[in-house]
Amino acid sequence: MKKMFLAVGIIGILGFVAYLEKPENNYHGFTPDLHVDSTSTIREEIEQEIEEESTEAYAHLEQESIPAVSSVELELVDTYEKDGYMVEKYRKYEIYRNSDGVIVNKEPTSNYEFLKYKIDESDESVETNN
């Protein structure tokens, strides 16, 4: 009799645990379909969003019929002396070239770079003495 109560108790506990582990209980009434692979549709949506963003970003190039081959180059804007240093100021330009390498558009950016060189005073004094 004790063995029968033990067996019924174990079966009851296992049944209760199985009931709690059903997907409907874990997802609050929502039964997920585990056989459907939704990653391909998510990937397609992301690729479509990226394509739309890149189309918007390069729309001005297509309107102006400028190829999307570009590079960034520095051009010397100013040279001046400050606190015993020679300072060169360069501005970055975005250069668009066609397939022949000819510049079709040159857009200045708001970025600058500065190079600073120490002026050697001993060379200046030698030059002034001669």
Side-chain angles (χ1 to χ4, degrees):
M1 191 77 166
K2 285 184 180 180
K3 289 184 181 184
M4 178 127 64
F5 283 132
L6 182 61
V8 170
I10 291 175
I11 290 173
I13 290 173
L14 289 176
F16 181 70
V17 169
Y19 172 76
L20 292 178
E21 293 296 321
K22 285 176 37 179
E24 292 89 12
N25 293 332
N26 289 340
Y27 295 101
H28 306 290
F30 173 73
T31 306
D33 189 2
L34 301 176
H35 300 289
V36 176
D37 185 17
S38 63
T39 55
S40 61
T41 57
I42 293 171
R43 185 179 303 121
E44 290 171 1
E45 290 174 7
I46 292 172
E47 288 174 355
Q48 184 178 4
E49 287 178 16
I50 291 171
E51 184 177 337
E52 289 173 0
E53 289 175 1
S54 64
T55 303
E56 292 172 6
Y58 292 105
H60 70 282
L61 295 177
E62 292 174 4
Q63 292 172 355
E64 298 172 4
S65 71
I66 298 173
V69 179
S70 67
S71 63
V72 176
E73 297 180 7
L74 295 171
E75 285 193 15
L76 183 64
V77 175
D78 192 17
T79 303
Y80 54 91
E81 188 176 329
K82 182 177 181 182
D83 298 330
Y85 289 93
M86 181 63 70
V87 179
E88 294 179 354
K89 180 180 179 181
Y90 291 89
R91 185 172 193 172
K92 288 186 179 181
Y93 286 86
E94 191 166 358
I95 309 291
Y96 294 94
R97 299 178 188 270
N98 64 8
S99 58
D100 298 328
V102 178
I103 296 174
V104 291
N105 193 11
K106 181 178 174 181
E107 295 180 8
T109 65
S110 61
N111 297 331
Y112 292 90
E113 289 196 17
F114 297 88
L115 290 177
K116 188 164 81 168
Y117 302 97
K118 178 76 173 163
I119 297 175
D120 191 12
E121 295 174 6
S122 63
D123 290 340
E124 291 179 1
S125 62
V126 170
E127 291 176 6
T128 55
N129 290 338
N130 290 336

